[in-house]
Amino acid sequence: MSKTISVVNYGTGNVKSVVAAMIKLGFNVNYTDDPNLILSSDAIVLPGVGAFKYGMENLHKKGLVDTVKYFAQTKRKVLGICLGMQLLVDEGHEFGIHKGLGFFDGQVISLKNFASSADKLSLPHVGWNSIDTSEKGSHLFDANNGSRSLYYFLHSYALKTSSKQDVLAYTEYSNISFPSIIQKENIIGMQFHPEKSGEIGLNLLKKVLLE
Amino acid sequence: MLTRVISRIDVKNEYVIKGIHLEGLRKVGDPKQIALQYYQQGIDEILLMDAVASLYDRNNLFHIVNEVTNDIFVPIAVGGGIRTSYDIDKALQVGADKVAINTAAVRNPKFIAEASRFFGSQCIIGSIEAKSKGKMWEVYVDNGRESTGINVVEWAKQLEQLGVGEILLTSVDQEGTKNGFAYELIRQIEQAVDCPIIISGGYGRPEHIKMLAEAKSLSAIAIASALHYKLETVTQIKHSLQLLGMEVRI
């Protein structure tokens, strides 16, 4: 019997591949903004491309903030991808300071602000890059699914946090390093696009959602 | 960053086609099957171009993108006949990550600025078709059919200023020939802009890319004929690039 996944529709576009990946992996998939449907799922995915401010505004407008928070409390899996990962955090600093969902400590800031030497960084960070898994993250990877494999990134902002225990993997871009996978209990975030990272990405999605 | 190997798939109605100098189109096969084959061989991105956008109903390409994105999980760019924000929105809805815009940008440069602001520069590729004219290169539009009198290097700079995330540079002279790239053109564009350049037109064998590697950091290469006519597989091309000392995704 396959799990039901709700991909949360909060109007951030470009979600087709996320939905297609879920279908490909054999899940029953809803792409929905209906709180009842979301709350009755086995797991939810928060996708997203775009700015933190608009992401949170849209979630609020659709009345989904409480739904997502409640769902997380029930200990069922919540996966945030790209902007979706960023919204899981305390605060975002894109176009002003905005409150996020608050599951993780830290702020989402421009990659240029990660270090004083980073101001010349070419943005967005776009293309294939590798991830460096800490021991905490090793459960996500196995012989078939390399932890040093390449994933597809497309973003200009990332999480700056001092809570190292939440970080499962880091990625280096030029002279800076940022979290590429974060996890706290049932809530997990990926800064890259697993649904655009080939079979390796699909394998990771499968592992995470079936855990 | 690694050098991306991109497959360029030109489509006319339901068929992948290939020409030389963007003319003399020959049917090669089914777009989805061909894209799937390259995906399975490890292609980094797929570029789907509508070869006859101005003559036929361009919805045809969105239908193909929609199907392709059901089974192919790497970035997809689509170009040919992208003229309005509605077109861009539709492309993204059916699963494309980026759109390549040529003719519409030349006719109305403001369109690029607006699109880049609204959708994000990472979604917008400025597509240039360059044909040599004496010592310079001229911008062509409408899939190599119409000359514009515009200088390619100047236009590339302008596209960057307008906010494109990348430039797709196609050499009309070299494309389809498998005789190598337009090296001097590429050199001049690389000096003129900072944004990533996807080099298209002329690939025949790995040595052709080696000759480019002496230039700045090589962002991406779009390959059509060599793959469509099965001269090499994606795996073979990447392996050769590695042997030549380049960093690619294997």
Side-chain angles (χ1 to χ4, degrees):
Chain A
M1 218 205 52
S2 42
K3 280 189 169 183
T4 300
I5 310 266
S6 281
V7 177
V8 179
N9 174 7
Y10 63 110
T12 57
N14 283 51
V15 294
K16 203 266 156 121
S17 291
V18 174
V19 174
M22 297 298 133
I23 294 173
K24 189 55 116 166
L25 291 173
F27 297 112
N28 293 320
V29 193
N30 302 312
Y31 175 50
T32 179
D33 56 7
D34 176 352
N36 290 320
L37 209 46
I38 291 171
L39 289 172
S40 67
S41 316
D42 295 307
I44 64 173
V45 176
L46 212 55
V49 172
F52 192 100
K53 170 181 158 140
Y54 302 120
M56 282 314 295
E57 272 176 11
N58 284 356
L59 273 178
H60 279 293
K61 259 189 241 172
K62 291 200 166 208
L64 289 173
V65 172
D66 287 337
T67 306
V68 173
K69 286 186 177 177
Y70 181 73
F71 188 91
Q73 273 171 20
T74 67
K75 300 303 175 194
R76 285 172 286 175
K77 195 140 271 168
V78 176
L79 167 65
I81 295 174
C82 199
L83 174 64
M85 161 179 154
Q86 295 174 355
L87 298 183
L88 299 173
V89 158
D90 268 343
E91 212 172 71
H93 290 199
E94 194 175 0
F95 300 131
I97 299 184
H98 305 278
K99 264 185 74 163
L101 293 167
F103 297 121
F104 292 93
D105 300 326
Q107 296 82 39
V108 172
I109 63 173
S110 169
L111 287 167
K112 280 195 188 199
N113 294 333
F114 263 70
S116 51
S117 51
D119 54 316
K120 297 270 191 296
L121 212 56
S122 172
L123 290 182
H125 171 219
V126 54
W128 297 87
N129 204 346
S130 56
I131 69 174
D132 223 322
T133 339
S134 67
E135 218 188 278
K136 276 211 86 195
S138 58
H139 64 100
L140 290 175
F141 303 98
D142 54 38
N144 297 324
N145 196 20
S147 71
R148 284 189 200 285
S149 297
L150 296 160
Y151 297 86
Y152 186 75
F153 288 83
L154 178 53
H155 62 117
S156 300
Y157 283 71
L159 169 62
K160 188 109 175 126
T161 180
S162 47
S163 299
K164 294 197 166 75
Q165 70 278 10
D166 293 339
V167 182
L168 264 54
Y170 288 93
T171 288
E172 274 181 34
Y173 177 44
S174 184
N175 54 353
I176 58 150
S177 179
F178 62 88
S180 32
I181 305 182
I182 54 177
Q183 182 168 17
K184 193 187 265 189
E185 293 174 53
N186 56 313
I187 306 171
I188 183 164
M190 295 175 191
Q191 184 58 76
F192 49 86
H193 287 272
E195 79 284 9
K196 291 286 174 184
S197 299
E199 296 299 304
I200 302 258
L202 293 183
N203 286 341
L204 183 58
L205 278 172
K206 189 173 180 183
K207 197 93 197 248
V208 164
L209 292 168
L210 288 179
E211 251 185 353
Chain B
M1 306 285 293
L2 305 165
T3 299
R4 293 169 284 155
V5 178
I6 301 178
S7 87
R8 177 177 174 143
I9 300 178
D10 295 273
V11 181
K12 175 181 173 180
N13 293 331
E14 298 296 315
Y15 296 98
V16 176
I17 50 91
K18 191 68 203 73
I20 297 183
H21 310 307
L22 296 175
E23 289 185 317
L25 313 174
R26 241 185 84 179
K27 285 182 188 170
V28 174
D30 171 67
K32 187 172 178 187
Q33 275 177 22
I34 284 178
L36 196 57
Q37 200 178 46
Y38 300 156
Y39 169 67
Q40 284 161 352
Q41 287 174 15
I43 202 79
D44 297 324
E45 278 184 44
I46 292 178
L47 175 60
L48 278 163
M49 299 291 278
D50 186 336
V52 288
S54 57
L55 306 178
Y56 295 93
D57 182 358
R58 71 180 167 283
N59 286 336
N60 181 59
L61 213 54
F62 292 151
H63 161 69
I64 293 174
V65 173
N66 192 39
E67 285 200 9
V68 159
T69 52
N70 286 334
D71 298 295
I72 291 174
F73 298 96
V74 289
I76 312 272
V78 62
I82 304 287
R83 296 184 192 108
T84 65
S85 290
Y86 174 79
D87 293 333
I88 301 177
D89 194 51
K90 189 76 206 273
L92 301 179
Q93 298 257 356
V94 293
D97 299 275
K98 322 179 221 185
V99 293
I101 304 174
N102 177 17
T103 308
V106 171
R107 305 271 187 246
N108 177 21
K110 261 177 48 179
F111 173 50
I112 293 285
E114 285 159 6
S116 163
R117 253 196 312 273
F118 188 78
F119 294 101
S121 61
Q122 75 283 350
C123 283
I124 311 293
I125 301 173
S127 176
I128 303 179
E129 283 159 12
K131 193 164 176 179
S132 66
K133 189 174 183 177
K135 286 210 167 117
M136 302 193 322
W137 289 268
E138 192 180 346
V139 170
Y140 268 64
V141 292
D142 195 14
N143 206 50
R145 290 183 193 96
E146 201 185 307
S147 67
T148 62
I150 299 172
N151 178 301
V152 167
V153 178
E154 293 311 309
W155 178 232
K157 287 185 200 166
Q158 208 186 337
L159 278 174
E160 184 176 41
Q161 271 161 19
L162 288 165
V164 300
E166 298 172 272
I167 286 178
L168 168 64
L169 179 66
T170 302
S171 160
V172 179
D173 303 298
Q174 293 306 107
E175 91 86 33
T177 65
K178 306 192 285 294
N179 274 341
F181 300 103
Y183 300 104
E184 180 54 26
L185 164 67
I186 293 164
R187 198 188 63 80
Q188 289 193 24
I189 300 294
E190 282 196 326
Q191 288 197 340
V193 299
D194 283 327
C195 63
I197 303 168
I198 302 169
I199 294 170
S200 182
Y203 176 82
R205 38 180 211 280
E207 286 68 40
H208 292 150
I209 299 184
K210 171 74 169 169
M211 286 173 68
L212 278 180
E214 264 85 79
K216 255 163 67 169
S217 76
L218 202 49
S219 198
I221 316 246
I223 299 179
S225 297
L227 286 172
H228 300 338
Y229 294 128
K230 300 197 181 358
L231 301 178
E232 287 179 274
T233 62
V234 175
T235 325
Q236 285 169 334
I237 294 174
K238 284 195 171 188
H239 190 62
S240 304
L241 294 184
Q242 255 195 339
L243 289 177
L244 290 171
M246 299 178 61
E247 272 199 272
V248 292
R249 166 184 166 253
I250 300 258

